[in-house]
């Protein structure tokens, strides 16, 4: 085989389909979020980032930075090993205690990313509980799908956010069969939220364990911000709460929280936990400081929701096709990969606004979109500029608009 030719051909195919991914080369500016520098062939440009998953700007919070600096001065750069072989730093222990307490669970376990947390936990449970069957929402994240696939457990996919479809799938098995139901709280591409209570009702009726991915909710929902399960009063009903330290918490890493025995089980049997070096102590210290700030600062969540609601309303008033989102995510439908890329390019080059196009395989073909994520640090002036620029791009490309009764 001519390997080089094969690689080049497959890449050329991606380009001709309009879904070749180009990364924006950014230099984040500490203290100026959401402003960043964008390095391009024609020079360095200042842009406003409107698609960051640093949802609350915690990646530059003074207490988070101070904690990281203190830890790097005390402990150095890396952890020095896997958790078992010299890599458990006291900062990891403190962070796991913080996460368990935050989620009102007995215990918590850190992973190097949210992806690894999902992949390892689901594959370990599915592979090692004899006869375990996994029930998975059809829109679950790739990290959950890969974990389930890797477990080789029997799998049923139920209709998105549909407890009846879940009940139907569960009913096919006797009560004694071990079962695990896996779903997310906030689905980040459409911005909809799972009916957690109803899902737990169904799971309990069939004696199934529940696994929830709160990656797009941790830090942002509930009185202390641990997620939608907290907001909805359902945390004690969920067997496993999973999330990331890289989105609203603003650092990097992932975790699960649950009972002492369940967490100890994944700690003892999960390859992606056991055989990988642990997070740098400075990362654990920064994440813990971030969670502590978020727990005591509900105002940041109020402001975040207000910014998202304002953004949705203002774009809708101009006829921009904002999808029905009940969360902080503002998805705008374009429906074509090439046009979506063009819209994003125009926003960046003409209007100094960075919104990455979202295309297949992240979303289905024909539903390509712009995914806007307003943060508490986006000002009214930035919002004015965003709305004007999106309208200008929609006009320039003659993109689909929705009829509006009353003008803004
Ligand atoms: C981003 C994401 C993950 C992975 O988390 P990382 O910490 O970025 O690896 C898992 N689940 C969902 C739903 C995500 O969007």
């Amino acid at each position: 085989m001519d390997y080089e030719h094969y690689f080049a051909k497959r890449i050329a195919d991606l380009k001709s389909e309009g879904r070749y991914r180009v990364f924006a080369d950014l230099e984040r500016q500490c203290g100026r979020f959401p402003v960043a520098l964008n390095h391009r062939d024609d020079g360095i440009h200042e842009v406003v980032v409107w698609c960051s998953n640093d949802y609350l700007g915690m990646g530059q919070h003074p207490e988070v930075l101070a904690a990281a600096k203190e830890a790097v001065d005390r402990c150095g750069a890396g952890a020095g090993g896997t958790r078992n072989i010299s890599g458990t730093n006291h900062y990891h222990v403190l962070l796991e205690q913080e996460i368990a307490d935050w989620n009102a669970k007995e215990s918590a376990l850190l992973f190097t990313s949210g992806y690894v947390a999902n992949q390892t936990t689901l594959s370990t449970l599915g592979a090692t509980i004899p006869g375990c069957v996994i029930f998975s929402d059809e829109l679950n994240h790739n990290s959950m799908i890969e974990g389930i696939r890797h477990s080789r457990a029997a799998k049923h996919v139920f209709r998105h956010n549909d407890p009846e479809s879940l009940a139907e799938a569960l009913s096919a098995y006797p009560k004694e069969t071990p079962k695990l139901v896996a779903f997310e709280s906030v689905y980040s591409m459409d911005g909809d939220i799972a009916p957690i209570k109803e899902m737990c009702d169904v799971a309990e009726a069939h004696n199934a364990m529940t696994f929830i991915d709160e990656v797009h909710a941790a830090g942002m929902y509930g009185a202390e911000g641990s997620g939608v399960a907290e907001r909805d009063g359902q945390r004690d009903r969920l067997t496993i709460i999973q999330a990331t330290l890289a989105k609203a918490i603003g650092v990097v890493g992932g975790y699960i929280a649950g009972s002492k025995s369940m967490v100890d089980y994944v700690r003892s049997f999960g390859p992606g936990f056991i055989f990988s070096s642990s997070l740098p102590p400075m990362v654990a210290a920064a994440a813990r400081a971030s969670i502590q700030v978020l727990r005591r600062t509900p105002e940041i969540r109020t402001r975040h929701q207000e910014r998202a609601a304002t953004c949705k309303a203002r774009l809708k008033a101009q006829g921009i096709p904002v999808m029905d989102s009940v969360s902080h995510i503002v998805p705008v439908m374009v429906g074509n990969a090439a046009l979506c890329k063009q819209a994003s390019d125009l926003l960046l080059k003409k209007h100094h606004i960075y919104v990455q196009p979202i295309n297949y395989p992240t979303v289905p073909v024909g539903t390509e979109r712009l995914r806007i994520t307003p943060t508490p640090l986006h000002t009214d002036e930035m919002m004015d500029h965003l709305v004007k620029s999106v309208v200008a791009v929609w006009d320039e490309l003659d993109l689909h608009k929705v009829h509006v009764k009353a003008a803004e």
Side-chain angles (χ1 to χ4, degrees):
M1 186 180 199
D2 180 345
Y3 303 111
E4 285 302 312
H5 180 264
Y6 174 78
F7 298 143
K9 168 79 178 67
R10 292 296 305 268
I11 293 296
D13 291 348
L14 277 184
K15 285 183 179 166
S16 71
E17 289 161 28
R19 53 187 190 89
Y20 179 69
R21 295 179 165 198
V22 182
F23 300 155
D25 179 349
L26 298 175
E27 190 180 331
R28 301 182 87 195
Q29 304 281 290
C30 189
R32 297 188 65 209
F33 182 82
V35 173
L37 300 181
N38 177 210
H39 292 252
R40 302 205 291 260
D41 291 343
D42 63 346
I44 302 170
H45 303 262
E46 197 168 289
V47 298
V48 177
V49 178
W50 277 98
C51 59
S52 179
N53 279 340
D54 186 354
Y55 290 122
L56 303 173
M58 292 304 289
Q60 61 162 32
H61 192 283
E63 287 185 43
V64 174
L65 304 186
K69 285 175 191 162
E70 192 200 313
V72 87
D73 286 343
R74 287 167 71 123
C75 304
T82 60
R83 286 292 295 270
N84 190 42
I85 307 178
S86 96
T88 295
N89 198 277
H90 191 55
Y91 285 111
H92 298 124
V93 177
L94 292 175
L95 176 56
E96 284 175 339
Q97 286 166 358
E98 184 77 35
I99 291 169
D101 189 60
W102 189 33
N103 284 278
K105 291 290 188 193
E106 287 173 0
S107 205
L109 192 68
L110 286 172
F111 297 82
T112 46
S113 72
Y115 194 102
V116 176
N118 275 343
Q119 221 260 357
T120 299
T121 305
L122 289 168
S123 65
T124 303
L125 295 176
T128 61
I129 300 173
C132 186
V133 181
I134 302 183
F135 300 83
S136 174
D137 186 287
E138 65 181 334
L139 292 190
N140 274 345
H141 189 259
N142 175 271
S143 53
M144 299 166 86
I145 297 170
E146 286 297 324
I148 295 165
R149 209 161 63 100
H150 191 76
S151 78
R152 303 196 192 179
K155 168 177 105 166
H156 292 270
V157 175
F158 58 89
R159 279 196 303 277
H160 177 54
N161 279 350
D162 186 346
E164 276 178 34
S165 170
L166 172 63
E168 205 180 296
L170 285 165
S171 305
Y173 290 88
K175 206 155 178 175
E176 315 78 74
T177 301
K179 306 175 198 78
L180 174 60
V181 177
F183 60 109
E184 301 179 24
S185 56
V186 174
Y187 285 82
S188 81
M189 292 303 149
D190 295 347
D192 56 340
I193 296 181
I196 301 177
K197 180 185 175 301
E198 289 73 13
M199 304 293 273
C200 287
D201 289 345
V202 171
E204 269 172 21
H206 293 270
N207 195 31
M209 294 186 287
T210 43
F211 178 104
I212 193 165
D213 173 319
E214 292 250 42
V215 162
H216 293 278
M220 296 173 279
Y221 294 85
E224 285 194 29
S226 74
V228 182
E230 179 189 355
R231 184 195 74 177
D232 292 358
Q234 301 297 312
R235 288 186 295 187
D236 57 331
R237 302 180 75 194
L238 291 153
T239 316
I240 301 150
I241 297 176
Q242 180 276 351
T244 182
L245 300 169
K247 291 172 186 173
I249 291 155
V251 193
V252 77
Y255 62 83
I256 57 167
S259 73
K260 206 160 176 287
S261 344
M262 184 282 294
V263 168
D264 203 17
Y265 185 86
V266 177
R267 184 186 77 90
S268 306
F269 292 104
F273 174 81
I274 295 172
F275 296 106
S276 190
S277 297
S278 54
L279 292 167
M282 59 179 160
V283 165
R288 177 163 169 256
S290 180
I291 292 170
Q292 288 172 339
V293 171
L294 290 170
R295 291 184 75 168
R296 61 165 197 261
T297 320
E299 307 83 59
I300 197 171
R301 287 181 279 281
T302 313
R303 163 89 177 160
H304 183 217
Q305 292 297 321
E306 177 278 319
R307 290 284 83 187
T310 304
C311 186
K312 282 182 218 170
R314 294 200 54 190
L315 288 170
K316 272 188 186 166
Q318 298 297 322
I320 301 300
V322 176
M323 297 165 63
D324 288 326
S325 155
V326 292
S327 67
H328 58 281
I329 291 157
V330 185
V332 176
M333 184 57 77
V334 178
N336 174 290
L339 285 172
C340 196
K341 170 98 175 66
Q342 278 179 45
S344 168
D345 284 347
L346 275 176
L347 281 172
L348 188 67
K349 288 175 187 157
K350 243 183 163 165
H351 304 276
H352 311 289
I353 284 173
Y354 171 47
V355 187
Q356 184 71 15
I358 307 286
N359 54 21
Y360 178 82
T362 307
V363 295
V365 171
T367 70
E368 290 81 4
R369 65 197 68 173
L370 298 177
R371 175 181 176 277
I372 301 171
T373 53
T375 73
L377 295 165
H378 285 91
T379 63
D380 284 333
E381 294 70 43
M382 289 173 181
M383 190 102 64
D384 288 342
H385 180 60
L386 173 81
V387 174
K388 268 193 213 119
S389 307
V390 169
V391 169
V393 166
W394 244 247
D395 289 340
E396 183 166 344
L397 296 177
D398 200 19
L399 295 177
H400 170 70
K401 276 199 190 176
V402 182
H403 177 69
V404 269
K405 281 166 222 125
E408 190 181 17

